[in-house]
Amino acid sequence: MPSPNASPALPDLIEARVSIVDAQRILDQSRCHGPVIESLSRELAHLAGRLRSIEETWFE
Amino acid sequence: MNTLVIDPDALRRAQHRLHEANQHLRRLRATPVRYAVVGEIARAEGMVHELSRRIAGILSSPLLLDPPRRTAVLTSTIDDWIADRKWWARSTTRDSTPIDPVVSMMAADMSTRDALIDSIMADGTHRLSALLFGATDIAKVRDLCLRATDPRSVNPDVARTRIEAVAAAVFAEPGERATISGARLDVAALERRRDDLRELLGMMAAPWVLHFTGLASRWGGNPESGRDLLHRIADHDAAAVRVRDGLVPAIEDAFRDMPSGHDERMTRIDEIAFAVGASTEILRRVDVDAAHRAASTRSALLSIPGHLPLGLSWPAGLALGAATSVVAGRLDSRHDVEERSARTEHDDRERLARVAENSARRAAVEDGLMNADATHVPADVRVQIQHAADAVSNAADRGDEFAAR
């Protein structure tokens, strides 16, 4: 029986993280500027970091 | 610089990517995953949703409108809020009001702030009162007002107009507010807001304290009305502390921008000394005035038993009168306050004279009139430095008379 973690779910997790990293890149490379945008960018980076740490513990 | 630039296309693309991330996370939650990560994924999904909501908020924000329409939309938000006379009371009881996003937008973008402040101020105190008393977060109001009058980025004439407008709105509040509106008023919250705003006025005035009197011409003001306004602003304990704390940096700043000729420099030193004299005297007088007000309130309270129909005999009535007089005399601190504030004023002036002397020396070095190591000090520069110390320490008498008028 396959482990619930060796799953078709992992690509979704990776795709979610890639989408978030891409959203952050779009903001950082755009003309958008100011405290509100900087705070959004920081939080996107934080969220991508959290998803990365879930990925790293996926097979533990 | 506090400016917000928005690229709507980029925001829409970022929002689209977040939407895709959300779909992946939702699919992920629907598959059997390890129990330990279920919570983490749900939290991530919540964060994506929140970030997406914030981007949607920016995309629908008045900040994306052209400046005149943006100002019109924000002004109409304020007008809608104050159209109902219950707004004064509701601002004291609600967790948030429609004024909160207006203040946030003004704080986020300097051009929005300047356009709206100037348009609001041109129209009396009512809308400005809505910003000051209607926003629930005083920290945001404080930040907005201090940035709008910051000497490092704001023209002196503009700062004066803004300080005067905020002061007018704060002082007009008891008269403008509907006494009975039908909504519940949190009296303690209103008192707190009044105190916070009075202290804020002191903070706004502090960097400009010398401009109210001696340096009034440098911000297009009138020394007499500046003196009266400074007196009114400083007539609050926390505000007075802020104003007093502002004296040293204000003197240092005033010496940073000295004219080049000797006579002009001496005249400027006189103006600074005059302003220091008037400001310290105003601070002394508000202290003494407060003690007088407290003493007269106490006397009025203690005289109440004498007016009551207590049916006391003549000797007992006399004894009661004598006793209340003794208590009033014991509680009367006017003399102590007068002595203490005169001493504080004297100490302040001695301390400020040293600051003026050092600032004059530094200005001479920075303007290339003498060497930093003071090996050669030209005679006229020596006179300027000495005059700075003497003028603040002694010639402040001129400021005294002016402040007393």
Side-chain angles (χ1 to χ4, degrees):
Chain A
M1 188 175 150
S3 152
N5 289 337
S7 62
L10 183 59
D12 269 325
L13 181 60
I14 295 170
E15 286 291 341
R17 179 176 57 78
V18 169
S19 295
I20 288 162
V21 170
D22 200 34
Q24 189 204 352
R25 183 192 56 76
I26 290 168
L27 285 187
D28 290 349
Q29 292 180 357
S30 72
R31 290 187 302 110
C32 290
H33 170 75
V36 180
I37 304 296
E38 282 160 20
S39 149
L40 275 175
S41 174
R42 269 198 308 276
E43 286 177 49
L44 285 169
H46 174 66
L47 180 55
R50 283 177 75 158
L51 293 183
R52 163 72 82 186
S53 68
I54 298 175
E55 277 172 39
E56 284 167 359
T57 58
W58 196 256
F59 294 107
E60 282 176 4
Chain B
M1 194 154 87
N2 187 26
T3 307
L4 182 66
V5 178
I6 293 172
D7 175 351
D9 286 342
L11 279 172
R12 279 190 205 101
R13 276 187 284 127
Q15 193 183 30
H16 179 67
R17 296 298 276 151
L18 281 181
H19 178 67
E20 287 175 349
N22 205 30
Q23 283 179 326
H24 287 299
L25 289 172
R26 194 171 298 161
R27 233 180 359 242
L28 189 58
R29 264 209 308 145
T31 57
V33 292
R34 196 151 44 96
Y35 182 73
V37 300
V38 171
E40 276 290 313
I41 291 168
R43 271 193 291 280
E45 206 182 329
M47 281 175 73
V48 169
H49 182 72
E50 169 61 17
L51 289 166
S52 191
R53 192 189 62 77
R54 276 163 57 187
I55 292 178
I58 298 172
L59 284 168
S60 62
S61 143
L63 287 170
L64 286 185
L65 300 170
D66 59 82
R69 282 184 58 213
R70 187 189 311 154
T71 302
V73 166
L74 294 175
T75 306
S76 95
T77 305
I78 297 173
D79 287 347
D80 288 348
W81 173 242
I82 60 180
D84 184 348
R85 61 206 294 262
K86 293 188 176 80
W87 80 263
W88 286 102
R90 285 179 174 155
S91 300
T92 65
T93 54
R94 289 197 176 174
D95 291 336
S96 70
T97 69
I99 302 300
D100 291 338
V102 175
V103 170
S104 295
M105 265 174 250
M106 291 172 81
D109 180 50
M110 201 164 70
S111 64
T112 305
R113 178 198 76 195
D114 288 346
L116 195 59
I117 279 190
D118 294 339
S119 117
I120 282 175
M121 284 187 334
D123 199 39
T125 59
H126 212 52
R127 286 178 181 143
L128 193 52
S129 299
L131 284 186
L132 298 169
F133 289 90
T136 53
D137 188 350
I138 186 66
K140 283 190 178 165
V141 175
R142 190 181 297 129
D143 186 53
L144 177 68
C145 290
L146 292 177
R147 281 176 191 270
T149 53
D150 187 338
R152 288 168 298 183
S153 56
V154 178
N155 175 297
D157 294 46
V158 173
R160 176 182 59 78
T161 316
R162 289 176 179 173
I163 291 170
E164 286 173 355
V166 171
V170 171
F171 294 134
E173 175 266 324
E176 283 203 352
R177 183 170 51 83
T179 314
I180 298 170
S181 67
R184 187 174 78 79
L185 173 75
D186 183 339
V187 177
L190 179 60
E191 280 295 327
R192 266 197 310 278
R193 177 54 60 100
R194 280 179 183 153
D195 273 342
D196 287 339
L197 290 174
R198 291 299 301 269
E199 182 175 10
L200 170 60
L201 272 178
M203 293 164 85
M204 290 165 74
W208 301 100
V209 57
L210 305 181
H211 287 66
F212 281 85
T213 52
L215 302 184
S217 63
R218 296 179 62 72
W219 72 350
N222 170 293
E224 279 79 20
S225 55
R227 168 196 62 196
D228 297 344
L229 181 58
L230 183 61
H231 191 287
R232 212 162 170 205
I233 289 174
D235 196 5
H236 179 275
D237 288 348
V241 169
R242 298 289 186 173
V243 170
R244 176 170 280 119
D245 289 348
L247 280 165
V248 169
I251 291 172
E252 289 169 346
D253 279 349
F255 276 95
R256 276 197 187 99
D257 181 27
M258 293 290 275
S260 51
H262 173 71
D263 291 345
E264 290 81 5
R265 286 174 96 87
M266 293 293 276
T267 305
R268 179 67 60 78
I269 290 168
D270 283 337
E271 288 170 354
I272 294 170
F274 176 80
V276 173
S279 308
T280 47
E281 176 63 10
I282 286 168
L283 288 167
R284 188 191 71 78
R285 293 181 76 82
V286 292
D287 212 13
V288 171
D289 290 349
H292 278 266
R293 275 199 305 273
S296 93
T297 308
R298 229 174 356 249
S299 299
L301 288 172
L302 287 167
S303 71
I304 290 173
H307 300 298
L308 295 175
L310 297 174
L312 297 175
S313 62
W314 176 70
L318 271 185
L320 178 63
T324 52
S325 296
V326 168
V327 173
R330 289 269 165 87
L331 294 176
D332 190 353
S333 61
R334 279 176 294 183
H335 187 63
D336 294 342
V337 171
E338 278 172 19
E339 269 190 17
R340 188 199 66 212
S341 53
R343 220 171 25 244
T344 304
E345 183 183 48
H346 175 265
D347 294 347
D348 277 351
R349 284 179 179 172
E350 287 306 310
R351 183 172 55 91
L352 297 173
R354 299 285 79 79
V355 173
E357 183 181 0
N358 290 335
S359 302
R361 186 175 294 112
R362 195 203 56 231
V365 172
E366 285 174 1
D367 293 346
L369 302 176
M370 63 178 267
N371 297 329
D373 56 10
T375 46
H376 173 65
V377 184
D380 56 349
V381 174
R382 200 172 300 142
V383 169
Q384 287 165 22
I385 295 169
Q386 190 58 48
H387 185 57
D390 293 345
V392 171
S393 178
N394 307 321
D397 294 347
R398 229 177 105 215
D400 280 6
E401 281 172 30
F402 174 75
R405 268 181 227 153

